[in-house]
Amino acid sequence: MTHLNQQAIVVLDNVDVKYPNGVMALTSVSLQLFRGEFVVVLGSSGAGKSTLLRTVNHLTEPTAGTVTAEGLGQLKDPEVLRSHRKQTGMIFQNHQLLQRQTVLQNVLMGRLGHFSFWRSLFPLPKSEQQLALSCLERVGLVDKALTPVNNLSGGQKQRVGIARALAQKPQLILADEPIASLDPASSHQVLSLLRDICKSDGISALLSLHQVEFAQQYSDRIIGLSQGQVQFDALTSSLSLTDLNQIYVDQSINPNLDSRVMSQT
């Protein structure tokens, strides 16, 4: 797909990821992420979705190829990588929150990359707490600021994860299966909230999802992976049944491709 007059904020060029056990998780993946896009990665289990997201911020390093960030260059130099990670928020499937800490303390974790190691050992300035509270207000949880995370529901925990990512003041948010453990109502709430925040702030987002219907409803663009290779990369509105069959070619029965979903393609 083309983005006239737009600068890519992240570029993957011919990226391979081969794990020590010999499994090729990604093969010759080339793609660009643009400012303000809300992009969903679709594919069956084992297709390489999580590996792709982790490669964007080098939590998983490519075996071959390069990842380049706008204004920083290739993610090779440690200082460049630190700068890229500081401006890249991450939302995890299993929340990755400190369960016994308060909601506010968890959101403040998103600010630690902006301080030196030694400074981060001491309480952060009041201005940082005010920033964290404003992020909680945006996700509708400011009244839970002093509540321990382990007292929250799954949907609330994921909203804390969004607030923590937002506290980084990111240019890009990566979300790995952010609704996998949520019921449909909570899933819609989380995706709608995340999309609205990203669109309002001009933040790019790259999410991995299993649910085709959610991808169709919320994404601007879909990247389809199958066996570690890009099978589809285009506007969501152009996704067809043929495209879905190519994305899920390695899965004989895909429960997401029901008649209700197909009627929307």
Side-chain angles (χ1 to χ4, degrees):
M1 62 187 294
T2 58
H3 292 74
L4 296 177
N5 301 319
Q6 277 191 281
Q7 177 70 37
I9 66 166
V10 175
V11 177
L12 279 69
D13 184 19
N14 209 32
V15 166
D16 291 350
V17 173
K18 184 177 183 180
Y19 287 122
N21 62 3
V23 171
M24 287 295 297
L26 296 177
T27 303
S28 302
V29 171
S30 294
L31 56 87
Q32 301 179 70
L33 301 176
F34 295 89
R35 190 170 305 282
E37 275 192 311
F38 201 82
V39 184
V40 167
V41 183
L42 283 178
S44 58
S45 296
K49 302 188 300 297
S50 294
T51 300
L52 175 60
L53 264 66
R54 292 174 62 87
T55 301
V56 170
N57 64 355
H58 270 224
L59 289 177
T60 296
E61 291 192 19
T63 310
T66 60
V67 180
T68 304
E70 179 187 15
L72 296 173
Q74 291 185 15
L75 303 186
K76 291 183 176 181
D77 179 79
E79 189 59 38
V80 169
L81 185 54
R82 277 194 294 270
S83 296
H84 176 60
R85 286 176 175 169
K86 185 169 69 173
Q87 63 189 26
T88 303
M90 191 88 185
I91 300 170
F92 300 90
Q93 175 180 339
N94 296 317
H95 316 304
Q96 299 292 326
L97 301 172
L98 300 176
Q99 296 294 318
R100 295 185 179 180
Q101 299 294 317
T102 67
V103 167
L104 179 60
Q105 288 170 319
N106 273 273
V107 175
L108 284 169
M109 295 292 289
R111 297 299 302 159
L112 295 182
H114 294 262
F115 295 89
S116 68
F117 170 76
W118 294 110
R119 180 63 186 86
S120 67
L121 296 178
F122 298 92
L124 297 180
K126 183 175 292 187
S127 59
E128 297 297 318
Q129 296 188 33
Q130 291 172 339
L131 172 61
L133 288 170
S134 70
C135 293
L136 282 172
E137 187 172 13
R138 294 188 70 182
V139 301
L141 288 177
V142 70
D143 61 317
K144 300 289 187 181
L146 301 181
T147 301
V149 164
N150 57 11
N151 290 338
L152 302 182
S153 68
Q156 288 173 327
K157 289 178 181 179
Q158 204 57 293
R159 284 191 279 154
V160 175
I162 293 174
R164 180 181 59 188
L166 191 59
Q168 289 183 233
K169 295 188 174 180
Q171 294 188 31
L172 171 66
I173 288 179
L174 305 174
D176 188 13
E177 297 285 357
I179 60 171
S181 61
L182 303 182
D183 60 70
S186 296
S187 296
H188 279 292
Q189 184 182 41
V190 166
L191 288 176
S192 178
L193 179 65
L194 182 58
R195 179 182 167 86
D196 288 348
I197 287 174
C198 288
K199 290 298 180 182
S200 174
D201 293 14
I203 300 170
S204 304
L206 182 66
L207 295 74
S208 63
L209 295 178
H210 277 300
Q211 303 93 331
V212 174
E213 63 270 29
F214 285 123
Q216 290 176 310
Q217 182 170 350
Y218 291 101
S219 68
D220 302 318
R221 170 183 163 201
I222 287 175
I223 297 170
L225 287 183
S226 176
Q227 299 179 347
Q229 295 181 295
V230 176
Q231 298 294 334
F232 179 85
D233 184 2
L235 294 175
T236 300
S237 57
S238 67
L239 183 71
S240 68
L241 177 58
T242 299
D243 297 320
L244 286 168
N245 285 334
Q246 289 181 331
I247 295 170
Y248 292 99
V249 67
D250 58 335
Q251 185 171 326
S252 58
I253 299 177
N254 175 24
N256 291 314
L257 305 187
D258 58 25
S259 58
R260 180 172 58 85
V261 175
M262 290 299 91
S263 68
Q264 298 171 1
T265 62

